């Protein structure tokens, strides 16, 4: 039947593909085993040669690593199993091994000023500083090429992405929280390289000159409004205090206070003081509707 033939053909193709995969795996295993045996033989021959000519080749096979460094050794293109060598003195085979030294100290680098557009469409120039250190030298060497440049580029893109999701007000008032979020984002992205991001700090925020003038004008206007409100509140309190004081004075004491106020006025050419009897004022006020 046509349908049965198609199903059988599909099954046969799958079976052939599986057999090809199995043969490839066996071939890779055999090839890998042969190269491993060859590498072991070369290593044994090299060790025997070094032992036979030890006084002459001993100084060529020794290397010293500082306390803050580790050495990752590639023998015939493969990393030697176990942790990285160091610190101190260790032995290697010069014609079979390639050594890459990794610094384990905390590295600090500055992110050059980046042009950032905030969430409220404000152009901003920001620079930051990042502190990180390598945890596993073998992973750092084998999983990333030029780890310093990769971390630097990642920090630049993370800075732009993190600040672009916040408004200018949030950036100015929440610098510590934004730096913490940037640190977490860097750690999440670089942990595949066994890098520990220890700290991220925003150094400087540069605003356009026109925006700085607008913010200064706004701050000045807010301060003036606040000062006027304070003066008005003081005048209200003073008037209430004077009203309370005047309500407690007798007519004679009120008249004496009136005369004392007149004597305290400075006599200048621009000020003319005319004293009127209080009875006249009372008569005038009594005729008011």
């Amino acid at each position: 039947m046509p349908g049965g033939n198609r199903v059988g053909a599909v099954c046969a193709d799958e079976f052939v593909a599986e057999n090809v995969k199995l043969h490839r795996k066996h071939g890779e295993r055999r090839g890998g085993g042969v190269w491993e045996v060859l590498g072991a033989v070369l290593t044994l021959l090299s060790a025997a040669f070094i032992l036979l000519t030890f006084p002459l080749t001993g100084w060529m096979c020794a290397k010293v690593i500082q306390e803050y460094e580790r050495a990752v050794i590639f023998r015939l293109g493969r990393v030697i199993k176990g942790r990285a060598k160091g610190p101190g003195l260790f032995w290697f085979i010069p014609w079979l091994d390639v050594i890459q030294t990794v610094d384990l100290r905390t590295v600090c680098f500055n992110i050059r000023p980046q042009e950032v557009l905030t969430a409220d469409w404000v152009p901003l120039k920001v620079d930051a500083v990042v502190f990180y250190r390598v945890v596993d030298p073998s992973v750092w060497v084998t999983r990333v090429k030029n780890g310093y440049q990769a971390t630097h580029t990642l920090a630049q893109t993370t800075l732009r992405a993190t600040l672009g999701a916040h408004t200018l007000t949030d950036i100015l008032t929440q610098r510590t929280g934004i730096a913490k979020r940037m640190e977490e984002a860097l750690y999440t992205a670089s942990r595949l390289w066994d890098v520990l991001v220890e700290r991220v700090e925003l150094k400087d925020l540069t605003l356009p000159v026109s925006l700085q003038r607008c913010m200064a004008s706004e701050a000045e206007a807010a301060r003036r409004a606040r000062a006027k409100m304070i003066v008005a509140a003081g005048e209200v309190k003073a008037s209430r205090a004077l009203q309370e004081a005047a309500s407690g004075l007798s007519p004679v004491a009120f008249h004496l206070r009136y005369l004392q106020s007149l004597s305290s006025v400075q006599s200048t050419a621009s000020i003319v003081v005319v004293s009127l009897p209080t009875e006249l004022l009372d008569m005038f006020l009594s005729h008011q509707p």
Side-chain angles (χ1 to χ4, degrees):
M1 293 183 291
N5 292 334
R6 289 181 182 177
V7 174
V10 173
C11 294
D13 292 339
E14 293 179 354
F15 180 73
V16 170
E18 290 180 359
N19 286 336
V20 170
K21 290 181 181 179
L22 291 175
H23 284 299
R24 285 180 180 176
K25 288 182 179 179
H26 287 300
E28 290 176 358
R29 290 178 182 175
R30 290 176 183 175
V34 171
W35 287 113
E36 288 179 359
V37 172
L38 181 59
V41 171
L42 290 176
T43 303
L44 291 176
L45 292 176
S46 300
F49 177 75
I50 292 172
L51 289 176
L52 292 175
T53 60
F54 180 71
L56 298 177
T57 58
W59 62 275
M60 297 174 55
C61 303
K63 187 175 180 62
V64 177
I65 293 296
Q66 302 296 331
E67 181 68 30
Y68 53 84
E69 294 178 333
R70 296 296 182 270
V72 181
I73 302 176
F74 292 85
R75 179 163 296 169
L76 296 176
R78 294 190 175 185
V79 179
I80 296 179
K81 295 181 180 180
R83 65 183 184 86
K85 302 295 182 180
L89 177 68
F90 67 93
W91 303 94
F92 68 102
I93 303 174
W95 49 87
L96 296 181
D97 298 342
V98 176
I99 300 176
Q100 291 192 13
T101 305
V102 179
D103 197 331
L104 299 183
R105 292 176 294 182
T106 299
V107 179
C108 170
F109 67 88
N110 293 322
I111 304 176
R112 61 185 180 84
Q114 300 291 310
E115 294 284 349
V116 179
L117 190 63
T118 61
D120 50 353
W121 301 95
V122 177
L124 190 64
K125 247 184 193 178
V126 185
D127 60 341
V129 59
V130 179
F131 299 85
Y132 76 94
R133 63 182 176 88
V134 179
V135 178
D136 191 340
S138 300
V139 177
W140 172 257
V141 170
T142 56
R143 288 191 179 180
V144 60
K145 181 180 179 181
N146 196 349
Y148 177 81
Q149 183 179 0
T151 307
H152 193 91
T153 305
L154 179 62
Q156 290 180 357
T157 56
T158 304
L159 176 63
R160 289 196 294 266
T162 304
L163 295 182
H166 295 80
T167 62
L168 178 61
T169 305
D170 293 339
I171 294 174
L172 294 176
T173 58
Q174 302 177 9
R175 295 181 62 172
T176 304
I178 293 175
K180 191 67 177 177
R181 296 188 195 100
M182 183 179 172
E183 179 181 338
E184 294 174 355
L186 278 176
Y187 172 74
T188 303
S190 62
R191 64 181 178 181
L192 297 176
W193 313 333
D194 261 357
V195 175
L196 178 61
V197 179
E198 297 180 340
R199 192 178 183 88
V200 177
E201 291 291 341
L202 300 178
K203 289 179 60 179
D204 191 17
L205 304 175
T206 305
L207 297 173
V209 178
S210 58
L211 184 59
Q212 292 181 13
R213 292 175 180 172
C214 292
M215 294 179 66
S217 301
E218 182 181 359
E220 184 179 359
R223 291 192 186 95
R224 286 181 179 177
R226 194 179 302 114
K228 289 181 179 179
M229 292 179 63
I230 293 173
V231 171
E235 290 180 355
V236 170
K237 291 181 180 180
S239 62
R240 289 178 180 175
L242 289 174
Q243 184 179 3
E244 292 178 0
S247 63
L249 293 176
S250 62
V252 177
F254 182 78
H255 186 68
L256 292 175
R257 181 61 180 169
Y258 172 68
L259 295 176
Q260 185 179 2
S261 300
L262 290 178
S263 63
S264 64
V265 176
Q266 297 180 357
S267 58
T268 59
S270 60
I271 298 176
V272 177
V273 179
V274 178
S275 60
L276 296 175
T278 56
E279 292 80 1
L280 183 62
L281 292 175
D282 292 337
M283 292 175 60
F284 178 77
L285 292 176
S286 62
H287 286 83
Q288 291 290 333

